[in-house]
Each structure stands twice: as C-alpha cells, then as structure tokens.
Amino acid sequence: MSTLVAFHAHPDDESLAMGGTLARASAEGHRVVVVVATNGDHGEKPEGTTVAQLVETRKREMEASCAVLGVHRLVWLGYDDSGMTGWEQNKAPNAFINADTEAAAQKLAKVLVEENVDVFTTYDWHGNYGHPDHISVHKVGYRAAEIAGVSEVYEATMNRDSFRRMQEMARGSGEIAEGDDFDVDGPADDGNPMGMPENELTHRVDVGSYLEQKRESLFKHASQITDSSFVSKMPPEVFALAFGTEWFLKRGAPVEPKQEWIFS
C-alpha cells in the first residue's frame, strides 16, 4: 500500500478540505499522515477562553478528528495562525505568513522523506480562498516536494462552478433569497474568487461512502463548528451534495475526463 501526506494550514482544514479522501485512503489500507502548519490560535475563541487555552483545545480537537478519519500520524510544524489579510496578527514573528519558505519547507520535507511519501497534497495557488496561511501552504508545500523529490503532488481545492450550481438550486427552491447569498465569483480574501473553475480541475473524488466520518470529524472541532454554524444546519441530503465530492488539481494531468482517485 501507499503513503499519503496531506499538508494543511489550520486544525479543521483537514476535514473541510479533504476529510472524505483521508478516511477513504485509510479505509483502503494506505498510510495517512497529516501535517498542520499552524496551531489555529486566531480561530473562533469561545467567550472566557484565553489564546493558550484555545490552542490546547484545538490540538485536542485535531487529534480527535484524525482518530475519526483513521489518520496514522499527526505532525505540527509549530507556526502561529496569521489571521486574515490585513489583521494585526499578520505582523507576528512566528505567524506562518512570515515563515522563511526554505526553512519551513525543510521541516516539511523531513516528514516527506521519513514517510517515503507516495502521494502529497497541498493547496491551489491562492489557497482556495486567499487566506495568507493557505497561500503559504501552497508555496511551502511545493518547495518541500521539490526538496524531497516527490512527483505525485495534488492541490486540494474547491470547485467554483459546482458551488455556483448549488447556490442556483437553493435559490430555485427558495432556501436562499436573491441577493442574500455569498457571491462565489466575487473577491475572496486575496481579491480572487474562491476555488478553481471546474475545467481546470483534474480529480473528482467520490467520498459519499465516508460522509459520516467526515461529518463526525468536522464536529470534533467543536470550538469552531458550533450548533449555529451553517454546517450544523445542513440536512443530510444537503451535506451530501455539498461535501460528497472532493476536488483536486494535479498539474500536467489531463482535465478530461475527470479522474476519480488520487491513488492510480
């Protein structure tokens, strides 16, 4: 069997971006390793919680999520959450946005070599929605793959066109009023639209059989996925529509027809 190493920015990104893929890979007998760049210290902070307490909470939540998904090893690179573009936290010395790319890549490459990785995932060029840490994951990820000599590199991303189609369905059913929904084609955190257009994506991974694990892993991040969050309010059929397929881009691979699995 093969080894998959998935590189993510914050605790809970592993579940939102590719929880089904991680669970499927593990269930099929592959070794699954998750590397997290930051401690998520600028995520949602419950009232009365200190930053230090939030960091410890998110670490425990991440460990619980990984257990649900069947992850065999969890690695923390040790950086702080940089926050969104323009936040004061962008200036913090240990923020991932300020990490030396070469130094961070060397840390990650060490894991890739230790694991003798077969398949490695990072993010698309603008980090799916422009978050500074996600963009750094893309840069550091590719450099680490280069150092470690890894050729099977996939970019975890979102399908912009699929998201738009779901919005149109929701409008048609009256679940979303015209003008009230998020503009998928509008500027995200870095000024670019979220995700990637479907005609640029190479891999469409069906994770329908692993949705319960994905949902359970999401809710292990209880400090971030609260009862009032949009995910919590999704009926099972809507959750399946939104999260039942995970999308990847492998540079140089044909975009048509869509390939179904990253282990091929």
Side-chain angles (χ1 to χ4, degrees):
M1 286 296 172
S2 301
T3 297
L4 165 65
V5 175
F7 185 33
H8 291 284
H10 313 100
D12 78 13
D13 286 333
E14 85 296 339
S15 185
L16 283 164
M18 54 181 291
T21 296
L22 296 174
R24 178 176 169 180
S26 181
E28 291 183 1
H30 301 291
R31 178 168 171 79
V32 177
V33 178
V34 172
V35 181
V36 188
T38 81
N39 58 21
D41 57 320
H42 295 303
E44 296 294 327
K45 188 160 69 71
E47 187 175 351
T49 302
T50 66
V51 172
Q53 288 171 332
L54 177 62
V55 168
E56 288 306 310
T57 294
R58 298 201 72 180
K59 285 185 176 180
R60 289 194 301 271
E61 291 173 346
M62 184 67 191
E63 290 166 357
S65 170
C66 285
V68 168
L69 297 175
V71 173
H72 300 91
R73 180 186 179 191
L74 170 62
V75 180
W76 301 89
L77 282 196
Y79 296 99
D80 294 340
D81 187 338
S82 305
M84 303 297 279
T85 300
W87 286 17
E88 184 65 25
Q89 291 88 344
N90 294 172
K91 302 174 184 176
N94 196 46
F96 190 44
I97 192 177
N98 297 321
D100 178 80
T101 298
E102 190 68 17
Q106 289 287 350
K107 288 184 185 179
L108 178 56
K110 183 175 183 290
V111 177
L112 301 182
V113 171
E114 286 173 354
E115 292 292 342
N116 192 25
V117 63
D118 297 289
V119 175
F120 173 60
T121 69
T122 182
Y123 295 155
D124 67 33
W125 67 273
H126 67 112
N128 300 341
Y129 64 99
H131 191 296
D133 287 332
H134 286 234
I135 294 172
S136 292
V137 162
H138 174 84
K139 295 176 181 176
V140 170
Y142 266 100
R143 178 58 185 140
E146 184 179 39
I147 294 168
V150 179
S151 59
E152 293 292 305
V153 181
Y154 293 79
E155 300 176 15
T157 185
M158 295 180 282
N159 183 332
R160 190 183 307 157
D161 298 309
S162 176
F163 195 96
R164 189 187 307 106
R165 288 193 294 268
M166 285 190 289
Q167 284 188 318
E168 290 167 356
M169 288 174 57
R171 285 194 204 98
S173 66
E175 293 178 38
I176 297 179
E178 288 287 345
D180 287 348
D181 53 311
F182 169 72
D183 181 7
V184 66
D185 297 301
D189 199 49
D190 65 343
N192 294 289
M194 63 166 275
M196 302 284 287
E198 189 169 300
N199 64 4
E200 294 182 21
L201 303 180
T202 60
H203 286 70
R204 175 183 56 211
V205 177
D206 179 4
V207 297
S209 298
Y210 303 92
L211 278 176
E212 285 307 309
Q213 280 175 270
K214 178 162 183 164
R215 190 177 187 116
E216 184 181 350
S217 75
L218 269 173
F219 284 102
K220 292 298 182 184
H221 295 284
S223 66
Q224 309 301 302
I225 311 295
T226 64
D227 290 341
S228 62
S229 71
F230 78 99
V231 176
S232 302
K233 296 176 181 178
M234 282 185 176
E237 62 276 11
V238 177
F239 186 87
L241 184 64
F243 293 106
T245 303
E246 294 175 350
W247 297 87
F248 298 85
L249 186 159
K250 183 182 181 185
R251 298 198 179 277
V255 295
E256 292 295 344
K258 297 296 178 193
Q259 300 173 67
E260 291 292 338
W261 192 214
I262 59 177
F263 290 99
S264 59

PDB file of all heavy atoms in Angstrom, residues 160-187:
ATOM      1  N   ARG A 160     -15.483  25.896  -8.050  1.00  0.00           N
ATOM      2  CA  ARG A 160     -16.259  27.134  -8.079  1.00  0.00           C
ATOM      3  C   ARG A 160     -17.592  26.953  -8.812  1.00  0.00           C
ATOM      4  O   ARG A 160     -18.633  27.461  -8.391  1.00  0.00           O
ATOM      5  CB  ARG A 160     -15.446  28.232  -8.760  1.00  0.00           C
ATOM      6  CG  ARG A 160     -16.039  29.631  -8.652  1.00  0.00           C
ATOM      7  CD  ARG A 160     -15.175  30.616  -9.432  1.00  0.00           C
ATOM      8  NE  ARG A 160     -13.784  30.537  -9.021  1.00  0.00           N
ATOM      9  CZ  ARG A 160     -12.765  30.922  -9.793  1.00  0.00           C
ATOM     10  NH1 ARG A 160     -12.991  31.387 -11.014  1.00  0.00           N
ATOM     11  NH2 ARG A 160     -11.530  30.827  -9.348  1.00  0.00           N
ATOM     12  N   ASP A 161     -17.557  26.221  -9.913  1.00  0.00           N
ATOM     13  CA  ASP A 161     -18.769  26.036 -10.717  1.00  0.00           C
ATOM     14  C   ASP A 161     -19.785  25.166  -9.994  1.00  0.00           C
ATOM     15  O   ASP A 161     -20.989  25.416 -10.066  1.00  0.00           O
ATOM     16  CB  ASP A 161     -18.410  25.419 -12.068  1.00  0.00           C
ATOM     17  CG  ASP A 161     -17.492  26.317 -12.879  1.00  0.00           C
ATOM     18  OD1 ASP A 161     -17.823  27.502 -13.031  1.00  0.00           O
ATOM     19  OD2 ASP A 161     -16.444  25.847 -13.324  1.00  0.00           O
ATOM     20  N   SER A 162     -19.308  24.146  -9.294  1.00  0.00           N
ATOM     21  CA  SER A 162     -20.207  23.294  -8.530  1.00  0.00           C
ATOM     22  C   SER A 162     -20.880  24.076  -7.419  1.00  0.00           C
ATOM     23  O   SER A 162     -22.084  23.932  -7.166  1.00  0.00           O
ATOM     24  CB  SER A 162     -19.426  22.117  -7.940  1.00  0.00           C
ATOM     25  OG  SER A 162     -20.252  21.321  -7.122  1.00  0.00           O
ATOM     26  N   PHE A 163     -20.112  24.936  -6.742  1.00  0.00           N
ATOM     27  CA  PHE A 163     -20.664  25.771  -5.677  1.00  0.00           C
ATOM     28  C   PHE A 163     -21.749  26.688  -6.239  1.00  0.00           C
ATOM     29  O   PHE A 163     -22.815  26.857  -5.635  1.00  0.00           O
ATOM     30  CB  PHE A 163     -19.549  26.595  -5.038  1.00  0.00           C
ATOM     31  CG  PHE A 163     -19.924  27.214  -3.719  1.00  0.00           C
ATOM     32  CD1 PHE A 163     -19.595  26.598  -2.527  1.00  0.00           C
ATOM     33  CD2 PHE A 163     -20.616  28.422  -3.661  1.00  0.00           C
ATOM     34  CE1 PHE A 163     -19.939  27.162  -1.308  1.00  0.00           C
ATOM     35  CE2 PHE A 163     -20.964  28.999  -2.452  1.00  0.00           C
ATOM     36  CZ  PHE A 163     -20.634  28.361  -1.265  1.00  0.00           C
ATOM     37  N   ARG A 164     -21.484  27.257  -7.428  1.00  0.00           N
ATOM     38  CA  ARG A 164     -22.458  28.144  -8.053  1.00  0.00           C
ATOM     39  C   ARG A 164     -23.742  27.384  -8.399  1.00  0.00           C
ATOM     40  O   ARG A 164     -24.853  27.892  -8.197  1.00  0.00           O
ATOM     41  CB  ARG A 164     -21.882  28.780  -9.311  1.00  0.00           C
ATOM     42  CG  ARG A 164     -22.764  29.876  -9.909  1.00  0.00           C
ATOM     43  CD  ARG A 164     -22.258  30.385 -11.249  1.00  0.00           C
ATOM     44  NE  ARG A 164     -20.869  30.809 -11.181  1.00  0.00           N
ATOM     45  CZ  ARG A 164     -19.850  30.113 -11.692  1.00  0.00           C
ATOM     46  NH1 ARG A 164     -20.060  28.957 -12.300  1.00  0.00           N
ATOM     47  NH2 ARG A 164     -18.618  30.576 -11.604  1.00  0.00           N
ATOM     48  N   ARG A 165     -23.598  26.160  -8.903  1.00  0.00           N
ATOM     49  CA  ARG A 165     -24.780  25.359  -9.238  1.00  0.00           C
ATOM     50  C   ARG A 165     -25.613  25.059  -8.002  1.00  0.00           C
ATOM     51  O   ARG A 165     -26.854  25.104  -8.048  1.00  0.00           O
ATOM     52  CB  ARG A 165     -24.348  24.051  -9.914  1.00  0.00           C
ATOM     53  CG  ARG A 165     -23.829  24.234 -11.327  1.00  0.00           C
ATOM     54  CD  ARG A 165     -23.707  22.897 -12.054  1.00  0.00           C
ATOM     55  NE  ARG A 165     -22.704  22.019 -11.482  1.00  0.00           N
ATOM     56  CZ  ARG A 165     -21.428  21.985 -11.885  1.00  0.00           C
ATOM     57  NH1 ARG A 165     -21.015  22.789 -12.870  1.00  0.00           N
ATOM     58  NH2 ARG A 165     -20.572  21.142 -11.335  1.00  0.00           N
ATOM     59  N   MET A 166     -24.951  24.770  -6.883  1.00  0.00           N
ATOM     60  CA  MET A 166     -25.688  24.522  -5.642  1.00  0.00           C
ATOM     61  C   MET A 166     -26.440  25.764  -5.195  1.00  0.00           C
ATOM     62  O   MET A 166     -27.573  25.688  -4.715  1.00  0.00           O
ATOM     63  CB  MET A 166     -24.733  24.053  -4.551  1.00  0.00           C
ATOM     64  CG  MET A 166     -24.275  22.613  -4.714  1.00  0.00           C
ATOM     65  SD  MET A 166     -23.376  21.990  -3.283  1.00  0.00           S
ATOM     66  CE  MET A 166     -21.842  22.908  -3.411  1.00  0.00           C
ATOM     67  N   GLN A 167     -25.814  26.929  -5.353  1.00  0.00           N
ATOM     68  CA  GLN A 167     -26.493  28.179  -4.993  1.00  0.00           C
ATOM     69  C   GLN A 167     -27.735  28.391  -5.842  1.00  0.00           C
ATOM     70  O   GLN A 167     -28.786  28.806  -5.347  1.00  0.00           O
ATOM     71  CB  GLN A 167     -25.537  29.362  -5.174  1.00  0.00           C
ATOM     72  CG  GLN A 167     -24.498  29.507  -4.087  1.00  0.00           C
ATOM     73  CD  GLN A 167     -23.730  30.800  -4.229  1.00  0.00           C
ATOM     74  OE1 GLN A 167     -23.352  31.188  -5.330  1.00  0.00           O
ATOM     75  NE2 GLN A 167     -23.494  31.464  -3.129  1.00  0.00           N
ATOM     76  N   GLU A 168     -27.618  28.116  -7.132  1.00  0.00           N
ATOM     77  CA  GLU A 168     -28.753  28.304  -8.036  1.00  0.00           C
ATOM     78  C   GLU A 168     -29.895  27.366  -7.678  1.00  0.00           C
ATOM     79  O   GLU A 168     -31.072  27.741  -7.732  1.00  0.00           O
ATOM     80  CB  GLU A 168     -28.294  28.090  -9.481  1.00  0.00           C
ATOM     81  CG  GLU A 168     -27.383  29.209  -9.980  1.00  0.00           C
ATOM     82  CD  GLU A 168     -26.673  28.878 -11.286  1.00  0.00           C
ATOM     83  OE1 GLU A 168     -26.831  27.720 -11.769  1.00  0.00           O
ATOM     84  OE2 GLU A 168     -25.969  29.753 -11.816  1.00  0.00           O
ATOM     85  N   MET A 169     -29.550  26.133  -7.300  1.00  0.00           N
ATOM     86  CA  MET A 169     -30.578  25.190  -6.850  1.00  0.00           C
ATOM     87  C   MET A 169     -31.262  25.702  -5.593  1.00  0.00           C
ATOM     88  O   MET A 169     -32.485  25.610  -5.455  1.00  0.00           O
ATOM     89  CB  MET A 169     -29.943  23.825  -6.588  1.00  0.00           C
ATOM     90  CG  MET A 169     -29.527  23.066  -7.823  1.00  0.00           C
ATOM     91  SD  MET A 169     -28.631  21.531  -7.407  1.00  0.00           S
ATOM     92  CE  MET A 169     -29.826  20.693  -6.373  1.00  0.00           C
ATOM     93  N   ALA A 170     -30.462  26.243  -4.669  1.00  0.00           N
ATOM     94  CA  ALA A 170     -31.023  26.750  -3.414  1.00  0.00           C
ATOM     95  C   ALA A 170     -31.933  27.944  -3.670  1.00  0.00           C
ATOM     96  O   ALA A 170     -32.989  28.082  -3.039  1.00  0.00           O
ATOM     97  CB  ALA A 170     -29.897  27.135  -2.457  1.00  0.00           C
ATOM     98  N   ARG A 171     -31.543  28.810  -4.602  1.00  0.00           N
ATOM     99  CA  ARG A 171     -32.403  29.943  -4.951  1.00  0.00           C
ATOM    100  C   ARG A 171     -33.718  29.460  -5.551  1.00  0.00           C
ATOM    101  O   ARG A 171     -34.797  29.953  -5.220  1.00  0.00           O
ATOM    102  CB  ARG A 171     -31.704  30.853  -5.961  1.00  0.00           C
ATOM    103  CG  ARG A 171     -30.604  31.713  -5.405  1.00  0.00           C
ATOM    104  CD  ARG A 171     -30.220  32.807  -6.386  1.00  0.00           C
ATOM    105  NE  ARG A 171     -28.866  33.251  -6.143  1.00  0.00           N
ATOM    106  CZ  ARG A 171     -27.803  32.843  -6.820  1.00  0.00           C
ATOM    107  NH1 ARG A 171     -27.959  31.975  -7.812  1.00  0.00           N
ATOM    108  NH2 ARG A 171     -26.609  33.286  -6.535  1.00  0.00           N
ATOM    109  N   GLY A 172     -33.603  28.458  -6.429  1.00  0.00           N
ATOM    110  CA  GLY A 172     -34.791  27.937  -7.093  1.00  0.00           C
ATOM    111  C   GLY A 172     -35.781  27.318  -6.135  1.00  0.00           C
ATOM    112  O   GLY A 172     -36.991  27.357  -6.354  1.00  0.00           O
ATOM    113  N   SER A 173     -35.262  26.745  -5.049  1.00  0.00           N
ATOM    114  CA  SER A 173     -36.137  26.118  -4.061  1.00  0.00           C
ATOM    115  C   SER A 173     -36.593  27.097  -2.986  1.00  0.00           C
ATOM    116  O   SER A 173     -37.362  26.734  -2.100  1.00  0.00           O
ATOM    117  CB  SER A 173     -35.414  24.946  -3.405  1.00  0.00           C
ATOM    118  OG  SER A 173     -34.309  25.411  -2.643  1.00  0.00           O
ATOM    119  N   GLY A 174     -36.078  28.331  -3.050  1.00  0.00           N
ATOM    120  CA  GLY A 174     -36.459  29.340  -2.067  1.00  0.00           C
ATOM    121  C   GLY A 174     -35.670  29.285  -0.783  1.00  0.00           C
ATOM    122  O   GLY A 174     -35.954  30.036   0.154  1.00  0.00           O
ATOM    123  N   GLU A 175     -34.643  28.412  -0.718  1.00  0.00           N
ATOM    124  CA  GLU A 175     -33.834  28.313   0.503  1.00  0.00           C
ATOM    125  C   GLU A 175     -32.923  29.518   0.663  1.00  0.00           C
ATOM    126  O   GLU A 175     -32.518  29.860   1.771  1.00  0.00           O
ATOM    127  CB  GLU A 175     -33.006  27.028   0.472  1.00  0.00           C
ATOM    128  CG  GLU A 175     -33.842  25.766   0.557  1.00  0.00           C
ATOM    129  CD  GLU A 175     -32.993  24.517   0.475  1.00  0.00           C
ATOM    130  OE1 GLU A 175     -31.885  24.524   1.046  1.00  0.00           O
ATOM    131  OE2 GLU A 175     -33.422  23.546  -0.154  1.00  0.00           O
ATOM    132  N   ILE A 176     -32.571  30.171  -0.451  1.00  0.00           N
ATOM    133  CA  ILE A 176     -31.745  31.377  -0.420  1.00  0.00           C
ATOM    134  C   ILE A 176     -32.463  32.458  -1.210  1.00  0.00           C
ATOM    135  O   ILE A 176     -32.839  32.240  -2.363  1.00  0.00           O
ATOM    136  CB  ILE A 176     -30.352  31.144  -1.045  1.00  0.00           C
ATOM    137  CG1 ILE A 176     -29.558  30.106  -0.243  1.00  0.00           C
ATOM    138  CG2 ILE A 176     -29.560  32.446  -1.103  1.00  0.00           C
ATOM    139  CD1 ILE A 176     -28.196  29.801  -0.808  1.00  0.00           C
ATOM    140  N   ALA A 177     -32.642  33.596  -0.614  1.00  0.00           N
ATOM    141  CA  ALA A 177     -33.276  34.709  -1.315  1.00  0.00           C
ATOM    142  C   ALA A 177     -32.275  35.387  -2.238  1.00  0.00           C
ATOM    143  O   ALA A 177     -31.070  35.411  -1.955  1.00  0.00           O
ATOM    144  CB  ALA A 177     -33.824  35.723  -0.305  1.00  0.00           C
ATOM    145  N   GLU A 178     -32.741  35.915  -3.351  1.00  0.00           N
ATOM    146  CA  GLU A 178     -31.867  36.622  -4.271  1.00  0.00           C
ATOM    147  C   GLU A 178     -31.139  37.750  -3.539  1.00  0.00           C
ATOM    148  O   GLU A 178     -31.749  38.543  -2.821  1.00  0.00           O
ATOM    149  CB  GLU A 178     -32.675  37.216  -5.435  1.00  0.00           C
ATOM    150  CG  GLU A 178     -33.189  36.190  -6.431  1.00  0.00           C
ATOM    151  CD  GLU A 178     -32.090  35.627  -7.301  1.00  0.00           C
ATOM    152  OE1 GLU A 178     -31.001  36.224  -7.340  1.00  0.00           O
ATOM    153  OE2 GLU A 178     -32.315  34.574  -7.942  1.00  0.00           O
ATOM    154  N   GLY A 179     -29.816  37.803  -3.694  1.00  0.00           N
ATOM    155  CA  GLY A 179     -29.032  38.868  -3.086  1.00  0.00           C
ATOM    156  C   GLY A 179     -28.548  38.581  -1.686  1.00  0.00           C
ATOM    157  O   GLY A 179     -27.719  39.306  -1.155  1.00  0.00           O
ATOM    158  N   ASP A 180     -29.058  37.477  -1.072  1.00  0.00           N
ATOM    159  CA  ASP A 180     -28.672  37.181   0.302  1.00  0.00           C
ATOM    160  C   ASP A 180     -27.486  36.227   0.411  1.00  0.00           C
ATOM    161  O   ASP A 180     -26.918  36.066   1.476  1.00  0.00           O
ATOM    162  CB  ASP A 180     -29.854  36.553   1.062  1.00  0.00           C
ATOM    163  CG  ASP A 180     -30.917  37.579   1.387  1.00  0.00           C
ATOM    164  OD1 ASP A 180     -30.626  38.783   1.224  1.00  0.00           O
ATOM    165  OD2 ASP A 180     -32.018  37.184   1.786  1.00  0.00           O
ATOM    166  N   ASP A 181     -27.134  35.586  -0.704  1.00  0.00           N
ATOM    167  CA  ASP A 181     -26.122  34.541  -0.632  1.00  0.00           C
ATOM    168  C   ASP A 181     -24.737  35.069  -0.979  1.00  0.00           C
ATOM    169  O   ASP A 181     -24.566  36.120  -1.583  1.00  0.00           O
ATOM    170  CB  ASP A 181     -26.483  33.382  -1.565  1.00  0.00           C
ATOM    171  CG  ASP A 181     -26.755  33.848  -2.985  1.00  0.00           C
ATOM    172  OD1 ASP A 181     -27.532  34.804  -3.146  1.00  0.00           O
ATOM    173  OD2 ASP A 181     -26.185  33.274  -3.911  1.00  0.00           O
ATOM    174  N   PHE A 182     -23.730  34.288  -0.628  1.00  0.00           N
ATOM    175  CA  PHE A 182     -22.336  34.601  -0.914  1.00  0.00           C
ATOM    176  C   PHE A 182     -22.093  34.589  -2.420  1.00  0.00           C
ATOM    177  O   PHE A 182     -22.562  33.702  -3.131  1.00  0.00           O
ATOM    178  CB  PHE A 182     -21.468  33.560  -0.215  1.00  0.00           C
ATOM    179  CG  PHE A 182     -20.019  33.590  -0.619  1.00  0.00           C
ATOM    180  CD1 PHE A 182     -19.195  34.613  -0.203  1.00  0.00           C
ATOM    181  CD2 PHE A 182     -19.487  32.585  -1.416  1.00  0.00           C
ATOM    182  CE1 PHE A 182     -17.859  34.638  -0.575  1.00  0.00           C
ATOM    183  CE2 PHE A 182     -18.149  32.592  -1.787  1.00  0.00           C
ATOM    184  CZ  PHE A 182     -17.338  33.629  -1.365  1.00  0.00           C
ATOM    185  N   ASP A 183     -21.358  35.577  -2.916  1.00  0.00           N
ATOM    186  CA  ASP A 183     -21.042  35.660  -4.341  1.00  0.00           C
ATOM    187  C   ASP A 183     -19.795  34.837  -4.619  1.00  0.00           C
ATOM    188  O   ASP A 183     -18.680  35.267  -4.348  1.00  0.00           O
ATOM    189  CB  ASP A 183     -20.829  37.119  -4.748  1.00  0.00           C
ATOM    190  CG  ASP A 183     -20.520  37.267  -6.233  1.00  0.00           C
ATOM    191  OD1 ASP A 183     -20.593  36.263  -6.970  1.00  0.00           O
ATOM    192  OD2 ASP A 183     -20.211  38.404  -6.662  1.00  0.00           O
ATOM    193  N   VAL A 184     -19.992  33.639  -5.185  1.00  0.00           N
ATOM    194  CA  VAL A 184     -18.883  32.731  -5.428  1.00  0.00           C
ATOM    195  C   VAL A 184     -17.888  33.305  -6.437  1.00  0.00           C
ATOM    196  O   VAL A 184     -16.705  32.954  -6.422  1.00  0.00           O
ATOM    197  CB  VAL A 184     -19.415  31.362  -5.919  1.00  0.00           C
ATOM    198  CG1 VAL A 184     -20.071  31.489  -7.276  1.00  0.00           C
ATOM    199  CG2 VAL A 184     -18.307  30.325  -5.956  1.00  0.00           C
ATOM    200  N   ASP A 185     -18.346  34.217  -7.285  1.00  0.00           N
ATOM    201  CA  ASP A 185     -17.463  34.819  -8.276  1.00  0.00           C
ATOM    202  C   ASP A 185     -16.872  36.153  -7.822  1.00  0.00           C
ATOM    203  O   ASP A 185     -16.107  36.776  -8.552  1.00  0.00           O
ATOM    204  CB  ASP A 185     -18.218  35.021  -9.595  1.00  0.00           C
ATOM    205  CG  ASP A 185     -18.680  33.697 -10.191  1.00  0.00           C
ATOM    206  OD1 ASP A 185     -17.804  32.853 -10.445  1.00  0.00           O
ATOM    207  OD2 ASP A 185     -19.894  33.512 -10.376  1.00  0.00           O
ATOM    208  N   GLY A 186     -17.236  36.573  -6.629  1.00  0.00           N
ATOM    209  CA  GLY A 186     -16.708  37.820  -6.095  1.00  0.00           C
ATOM    210  C   GLY A 186     -15.350  37.619  -5.456  1.00  0.00           C
ATOM    211  O   GLY A 186     -14.859  36.492  -5.315  1.00  0.00           O
ATOM    212  N   PRO A 187     -14.706  38.707  -5.052  1.00  0.00           N
ATOM    213  CA  PRO A 187     -13.367  38.605  -4.468  1.00  0.00           C
ATOM    214  C   PRO A 187     -13.388  37.967  -3.081  1.00  0.00           C
ATOM    215  O   PRO A 187     -14.187  38.353  -2.235  1.00  0.00           O
ATOM    216  CB  PRO A 187     -12.892  40.056  -4.403  1.00  0.00           C
ATOM    217  CG  PRO A 187     -14.157  40.868  -4.358  1.00  0.00           C
ATOM    218  CD  PRO A 187     -15.159  40.110  -5.164  1.00  0.00           C
TER     219      PRO A 187
END
